[in-house]
Amino acid sequence: MAGTEAATDLGSSRRSQDGTATLIPHSGNLEESSRRGIKTTRFKDDDEVVEITLDVQRDSVAIEDVRAVDDGSSGHGGGFDGLSLVSPSSSRSGKLASKLRQVTNGLKLKNSSNKAQQTQLGKNTRKRLDRSKSGAAVALKGLQFVTAKVGHDGWAAVEKRFIQLQVDGVLLRSRFGKCIGMEGSDEFAVQVFDSLARKRGMVKQVLTKDELKDFWEQLSDQGFDNRLRTFFDMVDKNADGRITAEEVKEIITLSASANKLSKLKERADEYTALIMEELDPTNLGYIELEDLEALLLQSPSQAAARSSTTHSSKLSKALSMRLATNKDTSQFYHYWQEFLYFLEENWKRIWVMTLWLSICIALFIWKFIQYRNRAVFNIMGYCVTTAKGAAETLKFNMALVLFPVCRNTITWIRSKTKIGAIVPFNDNINFHKVKHVIAAGVAVGVALHAGAHLTCDFPRLLHASDAAYEPMKPFFGDKRPPNYWWFVKGTEGWTGVVMVILMTIAFVLAQPWFRRNRLKDSNPLKKMTGFNAFWFTHHLFVIVYALLIVHGICLYLSRKWYKKTTWMYLAVPVLLYVSERILRLFRSHDAVRIQKVAVYPGNVLALYMSKPSGFRYRSGQYIFINCRAVSPYEWHPFSITSAPGDDYLSVHIRTRGDWTSRLRTVFSEACRPPTDGESGLLRADLSKGISESNARFPKLLIDGPYGAPAQDYREYDVLLLIGLGIGATPLISIVKDVLNHIQQGGSVAGTEPEGRGRTKKRPFMTKRAYFYWVTREEGSFEWFRGVMNEVAEKDKDGVIELHNHCSSVYEEGDARSALIVMLQELQHAKKGVDILSGTSVKTHFARPNWRSVFKHVAVNHDNQRVGVFYCGEPVLVPQLRQLSADFTHKTNTKFEFHKENF
């Protein structure tokens, strides 16, 4: 046969040239497909064995597949177990690639006489697609019905689920998806079931275990042709071998539903026309199997570009070896390394907490020893020493708890001093939690102090003998207190009791369950909870501090003024806090004028407002916003999404609670539906001088800006910005600032972080920025579509690398997203626009491989400092922190991790 002659002649030719190559028979030499002239043979050089599959037609020979085979398997017949695809990036891409090219050239030479005849075939004769190695690599990764998340545990797990789901020994059609592990895509799984049943002539809606195994074996078949045929049969519902436009539309709609892409589903007609225009240029009204294969294999180079990794480089390989886990190390070494990483990441928090605890313990011991040596110890014993020791720590913590809420002071210290090098100001969420830790210290102090006095000190004094009471007369009077009530009704007693009650109320209503009003409507306490109740009760601390000063002056056992130290602890913190509130009161009256409003999918409200005179900020900072039409007392923080160089301020607010929901409602009433070319569901734009009768926006007050971890991005040569969902807001501001710098060139005007002050010129260190944005909803890309387009248009040198990831779409290679990938390639190639984001930035599917992302940055930026800034849910923090530590210790690139949790 032609195929045998071609392979044999070529093998003989190779032996005569170098004397090393041999042709190995493969289970009777050749395997032949009943559908096409598929010929398979194996080619050996030294200890490398290659299996080449040829498609031999009457007028052409094309490489169907190329696989590397273990030498030990060369003598075994049948099957393709243990085979791995040889890709251009393989370690065998030296001699082996050269041999493969010679094989290809030999085939081309042998069949050159047939090419003229092939080009003259009629228009109804389909040309066979020449499947190159790179195309085969893409094919083998695509159209996978069994993936890492679907059916990866094999037939044994499917059989186990069959036993759990079967009814009277059969599996219902509706449970097929769950049984094979394709959960969350029931409609898609049902279509797969129907196509497999049609192929076997089955009309029943149930499967026996043997029939299920037959279905499973076809779905798990790793041959690309079989997977392609299965997908084609799923689309071709009438089994006539042709896919009509209506059937294309149905599979687009099905794929969009499986991947939760509602907008793509709405545009199914447009994308159907796009596919038919590409695959049916002669308007036959249908496409065939070869057309679908051409669509899948047409862009292997683009698929390779999407990987954004450099696996073929020597540096990348060396980096992989350094990052590989050393399996020979002991378990102790592993834990020791983890401990060192933990210390390096958390040393600031550790030493601050250690210092705080040391001060509390020292104050307690000092006061404890002091009262241990006084006469009162003879009556009250260790009760009074415990009470007084706890009181001293209580005064210290009541003074300290005011400091974390002095936002302007912290912002100034963060930006103007070097204290931030040893105090974790940039860890703003955890630094805010310091307030809760200190509050816990206050609670412990109150419990020990009040408990010791009320349950121990006072009863022992009441029951003391006259002789024992004698030393107490200077403090409690010549006449012994008559009863327990005497202590409670005194100034020292009732002030202490009232403080405990007020602090308990504030503590309870500050809990998320009450503050966020999560009680059921039927609960009578619901009207007494919510943010307003939290706000009012939280401000009871003003009364608490006043009572604390009175309580500290009217002491039973201290009469000299310099021993009454409560006011000494509180003087500076209270003065600082009062100054902060006065500053905020005057500054927050700078009302802003609303310029533009947009309500986007995902319940996101975008507000564009005028910038107050003298208002200066850095990208990454945030402001507090108050809308009296919603609530006169509530102030909420939001990251600034505009850049310092913009002539406006902008914030993007996701509606999650009562206040943000009411704010969205108030502004939505003044908006209108978008016109063509505009994004957002509702819009109102007053920046163009357009008079709109319904644009009566409520008054907004702002307070800030305040510092956040992301504001330090200018200190790094390279930025790795990672945002999850709405967490991208502070990072978008950084992207815009970097873009503004690119346009200006050189240095940019540095801005005063406290918001008011002179500007000064400072160098802009950032030379490269990588932005990764992961979101679950396709509509989220509308939030910052303008920024994406602006970067793509103005960043001519490619300083900013944008990566959008839609995690609702199944990973590339999954059959459920195969058509989405095809559509994306077509749309981007023809119009330069992504089908999900509507920008020129191509969207990736599923979540990124963060290890590959870090590796990509490390390879490209050797011996540089990379600032890793993450903003989003805490779920990703441990992984990113660990990767930053790993790549810092095992490469020459230093990754410094900063986070801000939303």
Side-chain angles (χ1 to χ4, degrees):
M1 294 178 66
T4 307
E5 293 168 1
T8 305
D9 289 347
L10 185 60
S12 301
S13 175
R14 293 288 297 148
R15 282 195 301 272
S16 64
Q17 290 177 20
D18 53 30
T20 60
T22 58
L23 203 69
I24 304 173
H26 177 220
S27 185
N29 247 4
L30 297 174
E31 293 178 352
E32 183 163 354
S33 167
S34 60
R35 187 170 54 87
R36 297 195 186 105
I38 302 298
K39 318 295 179 186
T40 301
T41 189
R42 289 178 175 175
F43 183 84
K44 180 177 182 180
D45 182 19
D46 297 331
D47 55 352
E48 293 179 326
V49 180
V50 179
E51 180 179 88
I52 304 176
T53 304
L54 306 178
D55 183 8
V56 183
Q57 304 291 340
R58 180 183 304 175
D59 52 3
S60 68
V61 178
I63 294 179
E64 181 74 14
D65 200 4
V66 180
R67 298 175 184 263
V69 188
D70 292 336
D71 190 24
S73 66
S74 60
H76 298 290
F80 291 78
D81 294 338
L83 303 183
S84 61
L85 180 69
V86 178
S87 69
S89 60
S90 164
S91 62
R92 294 187 174 90
S93 58
K95 296 188 300 178
L96 190 56
S98 175
K99 290 178 174 60
L100 296 179
R101 283 193 295 270
Q102 292 183 36
V103 171
T104 305
N105 292 336
L107 291 175
K108 288 181 179 178
L109 288 172
K110 189 167 183 68
N111 292 281
S112 59
S113 60
N114 296 326
K115 285 193 174 180
Q117 178 183 357
Q118 183 177 9
T119 56
Q120 299 299 321
L121 293 177
K123 66 178 181 179
N124 293 329
T125 302
R126 299 288 178 179
K127 181 181 177 181
R128 174 78 181 109
L129 182 68
D130 200 18
R131 192 181 296 172
S132 65
K133 287 191 297 176
S134 57
V138 175
L140 287 166
K141 294 178 182 177
L143 280 180
Q144 303 241 7
F145 290 93
V146 177
T147 67
K149 295 183 178 179
V150 177
H152 64 280
D153 40 7
W155 166 250
V158 175
E159 185 178 24
K160 183 177 179 181
R161 287 192 290 267
F162 173 85
I163 296 173
Q164 296 172 345
L165 298 173
Q166 57 86 24
V167 178
D168 296 331
V170 295
L171 180 71
L172 300 179
R173 172 175 175 264
S174 59
R175 299 183 179 182
F176 176 71
K178 187 175 182 179
C179 188
I180 64 172
M182 194 180 285
E183 293 191 66
S185 306
D186 294 340
E187 189 176 354
F188 190 92
V190 165
Q191 293 299 324
V192 173
F193 178 98
D194 291 344
S195 67
L196 296 174
R198 277 197 304 271
K199 188 172 183 179
R200 291 159 175 77
M202 296 171 54
V203 294
K204 61 180 181 178
Q205 304 293 301
V206 295
L207 292 176
T208 65
K209 187 166 72 172
D210 291 339
E211 291 169 336
L212 175 64
K213 186 174 183 180
D214 182 35
F215 279 25
W216 171 256
E217 288 175 348
Q218 180 171 342
L219 292 178
S220 57
D221 190 322
Q222 293 305 303
F224 173 68
D225 286 325
N226 289 328
R227 297 202 305 264
L228 179 65
R229 169 57 66 182
T230 301
F231 188 80
F232 186 89
D233 291 341
M234 188 176 71
V235 183
D236 182 22
K237 293 188 174 182
N238 58 4
D240 62 352
R242 299 174 177 179
I243 301 177
T244 63
E246 187 61 31
E247 289 172 328
V248 171
K249 181 180 177 180
E250 286 185 25
I251 194 62
I252 290 176
T253 303
L254 182 65
S255 298
S257 298
N259 292 277
K260 301 178 178 62
L261 301 176
S262 58
K263 290 188 173 296
L264 191 147
K265 190 175 180 179
E266 294 170 1
R267 302 177 66 180
D269 289 325
E270 174 186 344
Y271 293 130
T272 299
L274 183 68
I275 290 180
M276 296 303 293
E277 178 185 351
E278 175 71 13
L279 301 185
D280 183 27
T282 56
N283 295 320
L284 297 175
Y286 61 86
I287 57 178
E288 295 181 341
L289 181 66
E290 288 77 9
D291 301 316
L292 188 63
E293 182 180 9
L295 180 61
L296 184 66
L297 299 181
Q298 68 175 343
S299 54
S301 59
Q302 294 172 343
R306 287 200 303 272
S307 66
S308 72
T309 56
T310 54
H311 297 290
S312 60
S313 70
K314 293 182 179 178
L315 179 60
S316 179
K317 292 178 181 178
L319 185 62
S320 297
M321 293 178 64
R322 273 189 283 173
L323 292 171
T325 303
N326 188 352
K327 298 181 179 179
D328 296 331
T329 57
S330 64
Q331 193 75 4
F332 173 78
Y333 177 82
H334 171 74
Y335 286 126
W336 176 249
Q337 287 295 111
E338 292 290 329
F339 176 70
L340 292 179
Y341 287 173
F342 176 81
L343 285 182
E344 183 175 3
E345 177 66 26
N346 299 279
W347 69 268
K348 292 182 182 180
R349 303 185 196 111
I350 292 172
W351 93 261
V352 167
M353 289 298 297
T354 302
L355 178 64
W356 174 70
L357 286 172
S358 299
I359 293 174
C360 290
I361 293 172
L363 289 173
F364 184 92
I365 294 174
W366 169 59
K367 213 64 176 179
F368 186 95
I369 294 174
Q370 187 182 89
Y371 273 81
R372 175 67 178 79
N373 298 321
R374 292 184 59 173
V376 69
F377 180 77
N378 297 324
I379 295 179
M380 299 182 181
Y382 287 105
C383 298
V384 70
T385 55
T386 301
K388 290 302 180 179
E392 205 66 19
T393 64
L394 181 59
K395 288 183 284 186
F396 169 69
N397 286 322
M398 287 294 286
L400 191 61
V401 78
L402 290 175
F403 181 69
V405 297
C406 295
R407 295 191 290 263
N408 289 288
T409 302
I410 293 176
T411 300
W412 184 85
I413 294 175
R414 180 206 304 266
S415 305
K416 291 294 189 179
T417 70
K418 300 297 183 181
I419 298 178
I422 58 174
V423 178
F425 291 118
N426 282 339
D427 195 3
N428 69 320
I429 295 296
N430 283 325
F431 189 76
H432 180 74
K433 290 179 179 178
V434 168
K435 185 170 65 174
H436 300 291
V437 174
I438 298 172
V442 170
V444 172
V446 168
L448 290 176
H449 179 72
H453 273 325
L454 296 175
T455 64
C456 187
D457 287 348
F458 297 160
R460 294 187 69 167
L461 185 63
L462 289 174
H463 294 89
S465 63
D466 292 339
Y469 179 76
E470 187 66 26
M472 299 294 101
K473 287 182 179 180
F475 306 109
F476 295 97
D478 295 337
K479 189 178 180 181
R480 187 188 309 186
N483 51 44
Y484 193 85
W485 179 246
W486 184 91
F487 294 101
V488 176
K489 71 179 182 179
T491 303
E492 301 89 336
W494 71 262
T495 54
V497 172
V498 172
M499 279 192 294
V500 171
I501 294 173
L502 294 180
M503 283 192 287
T504 301
I505 294 173
F507 176 80
V508 171
L509 293 181
Q511 300 307 303
W513 190 265
F514 294 96
R515 178 162 50 90
R516 297 175 183 173
N517 209 3
R518 293 176 178 173
L519 298 179
K520 295 181 179 180
D521 294 335
S522 58
N523 195 314
L525 297 177
K526 185 175 178 62
K527 294 182 179 180
M528 300 173 60
T529 61
F531 188 88
N532 286 338
F534 158 76
W535 190 90
F536 280 112
T537 55
H538 224 58
H539 281 75
L540 293 174
F541 80 92
V542 176
I543 301 175
V544 171
Y545 275 90
L547 293 175
L548 179 62
I549 294 174
V550 174
H551 185 80
I553 293 175
C554 302
L555 295 177
Y556 289 121
L557 301 175
S558 297
R559 297 300 185 185
K560 297 178 180 180
W561 69 271
Y562 59 85
K563 292 186 177 181
K564 300 177 180 181
T565 57
T566 302
W567 66 273
M568 299 179 187
Y569 280 99
L570 299 179
V572 173
V574 169
L575 180 63
L576 183 64
Y577 178 77
V578 171
S579 301
E580 283 255 347
R581 294 307 297 255
I582 293 174
L583 176 62
R584 274 191 253 168
L585 180 65
F586 283 101
R587 189 170 64 180
S588 64
H589 281 296
D590 290 338
V592 293
R593 183 175 62 86
I594 301 299
Q595 295 180 348
K596 185 167 65 174
V597 177
V599 181
Y600 291 109
N603 289 326
V604 170
L605 171 68
L607 299 177
Y608 298 81
M609 59 199 86
S610 60
K611 185 189 297 185
S613 177
F615 186 91
R616 305 191 187 283
Y617 64 95
R618 293 181 183 176
S619 292
Q621 293 186 323
Y622 64 95
I623 58 176
F624 279 80
I625 292 180
N626 170 265
C627 180
R628 295 186 175 178
V630 177
S631 174
Y633 308 110
E634 295 188 46
W635 290 82
H636 293 272
F638 299 100
S639 297
I640 303 172
T641 54
S642 55
D646 296 334
D647 57 359
Y648 61 89
L649 277 177
S650 67
V651 293
H652 287 66
I653 303 171
R654 187 160 198 171
T655 56
R656 286 186 173 180
D658 293 341
W659 188 87
T660 51
S661 297
R662 293 198 301 271
L663 185 72
R664 179 181 182 274
T665 300
V666 167
F667 279 96
S668 296
E669 293 173 353
C671 294
R672 59 175 172 78
T675 56
D676 292 340
E678 291 181 331
S679 61
L681 298 177
L682 299 169
R683 301 178 65 88
D685 192 346
L686 303 185
S687 61
K688 302 177 182 178
I690 301 174
S691 176
E692 299 185 20
S693 58
N694 64 333
R696 298 294 183 265
F697 295 122
K699 183 179 179 180
L700 283 187
L701 301 178
I702 65 170
D703 175 34
Y706 295 107
Q711 75 176 50
D712 298 327
Y713 67 96
R714 293 191 181 190
E715 299 177 3
Y716 297 95
D717 305 317
V718 181
L719 301 178
L720 177 55
L721 311 173
I722 301 172
L724 257 60
I726 197 63
T729 48
L731 309 180
I732 283 293
S733 179
I734 295 175
V735 170
K736 293 183 67 177
D737 193 36
V738 173
L739 182 63
N740 289 342
H741 163 69
I742 293 171
Q743 295 177 270
Q744 295 172 8
S747 64
V748 297
T751 55
E752 296 297 330
E754 66 270 17
R756 322 286 172 165
R758 298 176 298 173
T759 53
K760 59 182 178 182
K761 293 291 182 179
R762 56 185 292 177
F764 195 95
M765 295 180 60
T766 303
K767 302 297 188 295
R768 182 76 163 156
Y770 300 86
F771 176 58
Y772 286 82
W773 183 22
V774 184
T775 180
R776 289 190 296 266
E777 303 168 357
E778 58 174 331
S780 304
F781 295 117
E782 293 192 23
W783 304 347
F784 307 116
R785 180 187 296 175
V787 178
M788 301 292 177
N789 286 328
E790 190 177 1
V791 170
E793 177 184 351
K794 298 179 180 179
D795 183 18
K796 303 299 183 183
D797 297 328
V799 175
I800 304 172
E801 190 174 296
L802 302 177
H803 297 269
N804 294 335
H805 286 259
C806 186
S807 59
S808 71
V809 182
Y810 293 99
E811 61 185 347
E812 296 179 24
D814 194 305
R816 290 168 290 185
S817 63
L819 196 66
I820 308 298
V821 175
M822 299 177 197
L823 279 175
Q824 186 187 53
E825 296 291 349
L826 274 179
Q827 176 83 346
H828 208 274
K830 287 182 172 292
K831 301 181 180 179
V833 178
D834 184 70
I835 61 173
L836 298 189
S837 67
T839 69
S840 58
V841 180
K842 188 177 291 186
T843 301
H844 304 272
F845 300 142
R847 295 176 176 83
N849 182 329
W850 294 115
R851 192 172 186 85
S852 296
V853 170
F854 275 78
K855 181 179 177 182
H856 174 59
V857 176
V859 167
N860 291 331
H861 303 283
D862 195 32
N863 289 313
Q864 288 185 283
R865 291 172 67 241
V866 179
V868 182
F869 294 91
Y870 169 72
C871 190
E873 297 289 341
V875 63
L876 198 55
V877 170
Q879 182 183 3
L880 296 180
R881 178 184 286 130
Q882 185 66 48
L883 286 172
S884 297
D886 285 344
F887 278 81
T888 295
H889 286 86
K890 298 180 181 180
T891 71
N892 296 325
T893 306
K894 184 174 178 59
F895 290 84
E896 297 183 9
F897 180 66
H898 308 268
K899 70 179 178 69
E900 184 174 354
N901 294 338
F902 272 21

